[in-house]
Amino acid sequence: MGCDHNCSSCSENCDERDLRVKANDYSFINKVIGVVSGKGGVGKSLVTSLLAVELNKKGYNVGILDADITGPSIPKAFGLKGMVKGSEIGIMPALTRDNIKVISTNLLLEDTSDPVVWRGPIIAGTVQQFYTDVVWDKIDVLLVDMPPGTGDVPLTVFQSLPVDGIVVVASPQELVSMIVEKALKMAKLMNISVLGLVENMSYFHCPDNNKDYKIFGDSHIDEIAKKHNLNVVAKLPIDPKIAELSDKGLIEDYNSNYLDDLIKKIESIEK
Ligand SMILES: Nc1ncnc2c1ncn2[C@@H]1O[C@H](COP(=O)(O)OP(=O)(O)OP(=O)(O)O)[C@@H](O)[C@H]1O
Ligand SMILES: [Mg+2]
């Protein structure tokens, strides 16, 4: 009763301490989806970006919270430059060409090549502020692009944001190791539902002979999915166009429906 989610100033000895933070008064966020991976460089930010683009094309109001505080890459993929502005009600997110809302540390720095040299608690606090202090307004799906691994930031996000589900991104070579399973086990430990696995850089489709080549070898994603009773919701090819468009800040020009099954999973979450 009367809980303001501020456990630090509360004398109640309640069993289920809710560490969740409250969104800005001007934010009306329906679903929060995290994009995670066991290992770096497998394509989380790309999957986050493509998912945002596909959801946006379907008419949803989409936001991206770039929780990769020290290695932010979302603004670049969408060609966002300059700094976001604040107002008396909070920080206004940046808007992409097609009206996807974005917040990222790179939108707070005067020079985007400046490093963010902050300790863990400050980084975790920033992630929370991206939720509490940003004026998100009406958002159907807020995507949270995580840094790699199972460290401080995923822990903060899982504990303090109302995450409805996560997507685990992996590349074929990662799957021979147990790293992807660490991410899955972390989600289970924290009672976060896994919407599915996405295998990125799964194959290369050669336009000259119409054949698919498994550049990184045979994948084991189906076995891992089966072992954990999960679905593989997408297998994305290595596509030089993806790399080119994200380098040019034009990822919104990439037309695909690779993530349709994942979108259906997100749509089916009951709120
Ligand atoms: N399917 C793909 N085809 C071509 N290029 C890709 C593909 N997926 C990712 N890339 C490129 O690979 C690089 C790494 O991808 P991305 O930044 O999405 O990985 P990440 O998992 O977010 O990395 P980090 O762990 O550093 O956050 C980027 O330059 C991206 O454009
Ligand atoms: Mg990334």
Side-chain angles (χ1 to χ4, degrees), residues 173-211:
Q173 74 287 35
E174 181 197 6
L175 288 163
V176 295
S177 71
M178 81 299 283
I179 304 175
V180 71
E181 295 199 66
K182 288 194 192 292
L184 294 173
K185 286 181 182 169
M186 178 183 190
K188 194 168 177 201
L189 201 68
M190 305 201 65
N191 258 333
I192 301 279
S193 101
V194 180
L195 301 177
L197 301 175
V198 170
E199 184 177 73
N200 187 30
M201 309 192 205
S202 195
Y203 58 94
F204 171 71
H205 180 79
C206 176
D208 297 338
N209 62 9
N210 248 344
K211 281 190 184 164

Side-chain angles (χ1 to χ4, degrees), residues 146 149-161 186 189-190:
M146 305 272 205
T150 51
D152 224 14
V153 167
L155 188 59
T156 300
V157 171
F158 292 164
Q159 284 187 326
S160 54
L161 307 195
M186 178 183 190
L189 201 68
M190 305 201 65

Side-chain angles (χ1 to χ4, degrees), residues 13-129:
N13 188 15
C14 85
D15 286 339
E16 287 181 38
R17 283 199 158 206
D18 192 349
L19 299 174
R20 284 203 200 162
V21 293
K22 208 174 141 283
N24 184 284
D25 284 346
Y26 297 88
S27 294
F28 310 94
I29 300 165
N30 189 19
K31 293 175 185 173
V32 179
I33 307 295
V35 181
V36 310
S37 74
K39 180 164 110 48
V42 295
K44 283 172 304 302
S45 302
L46 171 85
V47 168
T48 307
S49 306
L50 286 186
L51 185 56
V53 170
E54 287 191 34
L55 281 164
N56 192 45
K57 286 197 176 126
K58 288 186 191 293
Y60 292 107
N61 291 310
V62 185
I64 305 179
L65 189 162
D66 187 353
D68 197 344
I69 303 298
T70 55
S73 53
I74 296 293
K76 172 101 177 90
F78 287 89
L80 291 170
K81 294 197 184 83
M83 291 167 76
V84 288
K85 297 202 166 50
S87 75
E88 68 277 13
I89 56 170
I91 303 165
M92 309 312 282
L95 274 187
T96 69
R97 187 193 68 196
D98 296 343
N99 285 322
I100 295 169
K101 290 176 182 160
V102 176
I103 190 72
S104 166
T105 32
N106 254 7
L107 299 168
L108 301 174
L109 300 174
E110 255 171 50
D111 181 344
T112 52
S113 66
D114 285 346
V116 171
V117 190
W118 297 343
R119 291 201 187 273
I122 306 286
I123 291 176
T126 308
V127 171
Q128 289 182 335
Q129 278 185 289

Side-chain angles (χ1 to χ4, degrees), residues 5 34 209 215 252:
H5 303 283
N209 62 9
I215 307 286
E252 284 164 299

